[in-house]
Amino acid sequence: PMPLSAVESYDDNVLRWYALGVQVMITILIGMAASGTYALLSFTLRERVQEIAVRSALGSPRGAVLWTIGRRALMQIGVGALIGMVVTATFYHLSTRSGWVPVVPPVLMTRGAGVTVIVGVGLLAFVGPMRRGMAIEPARALQG
């Protein structure tokens, strides 16, 4: 047995540690998403160096070359963000209907803040490989 004030304090501590754990897990997942996107783009760039060099040598616009490099990664980021938003919204709806207290604030689903963060991180991971891809010299890449 303990006084009611101790129970409330204990519950607050548990909720604070739980929130910290969720924040740490979200940070780790965002880092993994960024590293996966970076790895995918780097691999795509390495495999398609000659194609990019030919496109550049033939005078293709920069936008077309960028689209060639990042099309697959951008589509994966978009599909992943959409699936994540649908799953989160469904979980939120089911949990509030059954009387649970929502863990994820509804603003993350309704305002799209979570999707914005994920897409933003994906686009930041996009920058490094894109800069390397645009710096490919066609003559040197086609020689070897």
Side-chain angles (χ1 to χ4, degrees):
M2 64 176 72
L4 185 58
S5 62
V7 171
E8 290 173 359
S9 173
Y10 176 77
D11 287 346
D12 288 345
N13 267 344
V14 168
L15 286 175
R16 264 190 239 115
W17 280 106
Y18 181 74
L20 178 65
V22 168
Q23 290 172 351
V24 167
M25 290 303 293
I26 288 172
T27 304
I28 290 170
L29 290 172
I30 287 174
M32 289 173 62
S35 65
T37 303
Y38 186 86
L40 175 68
L41 285 168
S42 294
F43 177 75
T44 300
L45 183 66
R46 188 179 55 203
E47 292 294 315
R48 301 176 85 180
V49 167
Q50 290 185 339
E51 178 186 347
I52 294 165
V54 168
R55 284 178 174 256
S56 295
L58 292 175
S60 183
R62 288 179 76 88
V65 174
L66 285 174
W67 181 247
T68 299
I69 298 169
R71 177 181 51 234
R72 185 174 12 157
L74 287 175
M75 288 180 55
Q76 287 180 350
I77 291 169
V79 169
L82 181 66
I83 290 171
M85 193 167 168
V86 168
V87 167
T88 305
T90 303
F91 178 74
Y92 177 76
H93 174 71
L94 292 175
S95 66
T96 55
R97 196 174 69 180
S98 63
W100 293 355
V101 176
V103 175
V104 179
V107 76
L108 290 179
M109 282 86 57
T110 59
R111 302 291 192 284
V115 173
T116 303
V117 168
I118 291 296
V119 171
V121 167
L123 292 177
L124 283 176
F126 204 71
V127 172
M130 286 300 125
R131 290 183 63 205
R132 282 198 319 264
M134 295 313 294
I136 292 174
E137 294 181 30
R140 183 176 291 172
L142 293 174
Q143 283 178 353

